[in-house]
Amino acid sequence: MPFKSSIFVILCVALILGGCTNAPTPGTALTLPTLQPATQPAPATQAAAPTPVAPVELGKALDQGLVTVVQAAGIDLFRLNLALKSQSDAPLVVEVLPGSIFAPGDATVQTMVVRFKTTFVLNPRGTTEEIVPVACAEMHKAGPDSGDRFTFHSPDQVDPNLKKLLNSHRLAEMELIPQQYAIWTITD
């Protein structure tokens, strides 16, 4: 009876692996091992989950000395390269909000207005660089290029109609050129 033999072999292996040293022979009584209470492993030490960092608006982060602007340089009519350096010993999340203004160092170049929120995640004392989506705010002036430098101004100084436009989901649905003309319609 191969089936009974197979069960016998499996039972013997299970007993041996379970700690029974006196495995039975066919036809003899089974002697079961003494069961010991299971010992619970010590709970694994888990690293504390990182505490979420509340985002801070760039203007407030600058006012509080949490960050410095390393670079705010034009790329083209729709993008600005912004680099921030953390002055904090803790991680930071800094948001550049729609309506934030970047004023040019050269008065012949257009002021840039941020079209959509850009979030910077900074490690303690670290530097992070992001491309910020912007639009020009002065149609009659020259467009920016990579040689142009800009200074940040808080979105609190922005026309309320421009803020309303920039926070509209409909602006995000538009192509770039219509976005630009919609912004110029308010700023010029």
Side-chain angles (χ1 to χ4, degrees):
M1 292 186 212
F3 179 70
K4 284 187 178 179
S5 297
S6 297
I7 291 175
F8 179 75
V9 170
I10 292 170
L11 183 59
C12 288
V13 169
L15 289 171
I16 291 168
L17 292 176
C20 179
T21 56
N22 54 344
T25 56
T28 62
L30 290 178
T31 305
L32 297 175
T34 306
L35 298 176
Q36 299 296 322
T39 57
Q40 296 294 324
T45 305
Q46 294 181 347
T51 305
V53 178
V56 61
E57 187 268 325
L58 177 58
K60 289 182 174 90
L62 288 167
D63 290 346
Q64 295 171 13
L66 296 173
V67 298
T68 56
V69 175
V70 175
Q71 172 179 283
I75 296 174
D76 55 30
L77 293 172
F78 304 108
R79 299 175 299 156
L80 181 108
N81 185 3
L82 181 60
L84 301 178
K85 175 159 180 42
S86 171
Q87 300 300 316
S88 172
D89 291 326
L92 293 173
V93 175
V94 178
E95 295 178 336
V96 182
L97 300 178
S100 297
I101 299 290
F102 285 90
D106 179 349
T108 65
V109 174
Q110 294 195 46
T111 296
M112 307 303 286
V113 60
V114 175
R115 291 181 291 130
F116 305 108
K117 178 171 73 174
T118 303
T119 302
F120 288 75
V121 178
L122 293 120
N123 289 324
R125 305 281 173 190
T127 300
T128 301
E129 188 173 322
E130 297 286 344
I131 304 298
V132 179
V134 294
C136 296
E138 299 166 295
M139 185 183 340
H140 58 280
K141 292 186 178 181
D145 61 32
S146 61
D148 293 311
R149 299 295 178 253
F150 292 83
T151 304
F152 173 82
H153 294 277
S154 173
D156 297 335
Q157 304 167 6
V158 172
D159 178 296
N161 290 320
L162 181 58
K163 265 188 174 178
K164 186 176 179 179
L165 173 68
L166 293 169
N167 288 311
S168 165
H169 68 85
R170 295 185 78 196
L171 183 71
E173 296 169 354
M174 300 170 117
E175 298 290 326
L176 283 175
I177 300 302
Q179 283 181 16
Q180 178 61 75
Y181 277 96
I183 291 167
W184 276 334
T185 299
I186 295 172
T187 60
D188 275 336

